[in-house]
Amino acid sequence: MTEASARPARLDDAVDAAIVREISLDARATLSHLSERVGLSVSAVQSRLRRLEARGIVRGYRPVLDAEALGRPLAAFVEITPLDPAQPDNAPELLAHLTAIEACHSIAGDAAYMLFVRVPTPRDLEELIRDIRAAAHVNTRTTIVLQTFFEARPIEPADFPA
């Protein structure tokens, strides 16, 4: 791997940043809407968007779903720490089959990973924690979410080359 290929993809200019900003606010924005917002033709926006997708800057488009309406109103953060510090660091692979785990983050601090989970009931959370402990051979520390004020916020592009 060369030094250049090791670096993450970056935005090329302010127009790319504007396109990313617009689709971050509304992933269903039409090419026509994007064209109006960034001041380029529809074909130019389409070309830039395809390039952003090909470079991995835009990795997909997802709906924002109502977890409560889908029967998973209970959200929690679960910190996991290996029972044996010498055990392989493969918890993400060992937990991938547990679909109630919405996100798995490697973290700094006492714990090794932070999981974000959604389940229907406290009993389901208890069962999930038991499954996590058994599958990955870890200790857990759970914090239940009482209310979420915001999440999945649009990502504002950072500085980019001029």
Side-chain angles (χ1 to χ4, degrees):
M1 181 181 298
T2 67
E3 184 180 323
S5 65
R7 284 190 232 124
R10 302 279 305 190
L11 299 174
D12 288 336
D13 57 25
V15 175
D16 279 357
I19 291 171
V20 168
R21 188 175 298 111
E22 290 300 319
I23 63 171
S24 182
L25 292 169
D26 180 6
R28 293 184 57 170
T30 64
L31 291 173
S32 177
H33 172 80
L34 293 173
S35 170
E36 290 173 18
R37 299 290 295 164
V38 303
L40 292 178
S41 69
V42 170
S43 61
V45 168
Q46 184 176 33
S47 174
R48 281 179 175 255
L49 196 50
R50 283 186 181 147
R51 189 180 74 229
L52 290 166
E53 290 167 352
R55 292 171 57 202
I57 293 170
V58 176
R59 298 188 312 192
Y61 303 86
R62 284 180 258 173
V64 177
L65 303 173
D66 182 333
E68 190 165 340
L70 296 173
R72 293 183 179 263
L74 180 58
F77 292 97
V78 181
E79 293 180 1
I80 63 173
T81 307
L83 291 174
D84 176 4
Q87 76 187 51
D89 186 12
N90 60 350
E93 294 84 11
L94 296 173
L95 299 173
H97 71 284
L98 298 173
T99 58
I101 300 173
E102 200 172 295
C104 175
H105 306 278
S106 176
I107 60 172
D110 293 335
Y113 294 93
M114 175 74 73
L115 311 176
F116 180 72
V117 304
R118 290 188 195 269
V119 293
T121 67
R123 186 168 301 216
D124 292 306
L125 180 59
E126 183 178 23
E127 184 178 318
L128 177 62
I129 291 168
R130 189 172 37 250
D131 292 345
I132 290 168
R133 289 175 179 161
H137 311 291
V138 294
N139 284 318
T140 61
R141 180 172 180 255
T142 303
T143 303
I144 293 175
V145 175
L146 298 176
Q147 186 174 3
T148 300
F149 295 98
F150 50 83
E151 69 179 346
R153 296 172 99 178
I155 299 172
E156 188 70 27
D159 293 336
F160 49 87

